[in-house]
Amino acid sequence: LGSQSAPPPETARIPGAPAKPSFDPVKPSFDIVRVNPLGDTVIAGRAQPNSGITVMQGDKVIGRARADRRGEWVLIPQTPISPGTHTLTIVSRGADGTEMSSDQNVVVVVPDRGKDVAGSATSGQTGSLALAVPKKGDSAPVVLQMLGGIGNAGLSLDAIDYGNNGENVLLSGRAPPG
């Protein structure tokens, strides 16, 4: 008759609310990068659940993976990373074909055999270095893999961070207890 009925629950809206819930896709990111002195690598991170992951070294694809339903992925490239300094990037591709790049790159330094990452000859154990560097200057780099076993002084400077605008210097490292 003259009465109005309320819209079905699935079409009811709160005044001022968006018509559809907003959804922020998860950009791909690196959580773990481990490179042994021979260049053998394990890379893990997060992305949009069930998305395809492509990891690049420069313009070369070094491997592909798929994020699981929680958005976690792991990649073990078939070919070792060669000695030198390399930049790794990541791109994810959703089921709808949308591609997203990470907000960070990872710089990896793999030493030549018998040398440290600075290129100096060493008879001791060497290690690789991996550093996540933001593409924009709005956050600090993060050390993903520190050098291990270099020198025997028991004192090391592992990272230097200059803050967002270079005004604050933060040094971190290791020393014997006490």
Side-chain angles (χ1 to χ4, degrees):
L1 302 167
S3 68
Q4 293 181 323
S5 62
E10 58 273 357
T11 61
R13 285 185 6 135
I14 298 172
K20 292 184 180 180
S22 63
F23 175 70
D24 291 329
V26 178
K27 286 190 172 188
S29 65
F30 293 97
D31 289 342
I32 297 170
V33 176
R34 298 289 183 268
V35 184
N36 71 17
L38 300 176
D40 297 319
T41 307
V42 175
I43 305 169
R46 298 179 189 279
Q48 191 65 37
N50 303 311
S51 61
I53 305 300
T54 302
V55 177
M56 311 269 299
Q57 177 184 326
D59 60 355
K60 174 185 159 194
V61 173
I62 65 167
R64 297 183 194 278
R66 178 150 304 275
D68 65 15
R69 63 189 163 115
R70 294 182 309 264
E72 299 169 344
W73 57 271
V74 176
L75 173 67
I76 301 173
Q78 296 296 312
T79 305
I81 295 176
S82 62
T85 302
H86 308 280
T87 300
L88 304 180
T89 58
I90 180 175
V91 175
S92 67
R93 184 181 192 98
D96 64 356
T98 303
E99 288 191 353
M100 285 189 289
S101 297
S102 175
D103 288 337
Q104 64 190 154
N105 291 330
V106 171
V107 176
V108 176
V109 182
V110 180
D112 285 311
R113 187 176 289 262
K115 294 185 179 181
D116 61 21
V117 294
S120 300
T122 181
S123 59
Q125 182 182 11
T126 62
S128 298
L129 175 68
L131 182 69
V133 180
K135 290 180 180 175
K136 296 179 182 176
D138 57 351
S139 60
V142 176
V143 177
L144 298 176
Q145 179 178 342
M146 293 188 296
L147 304 172
I150 296 178
N152 57 10
L155 179 65
S156 71
L157 176 61
D158 296 328
I160 302 173
D161 180 14
Y162 294 98
N164 291 340
N165 297 318
E167 73 280 357
N168 299 322
V169 177
L170 175 66
L171 307 174
S172 63
R174 293 169 280 157

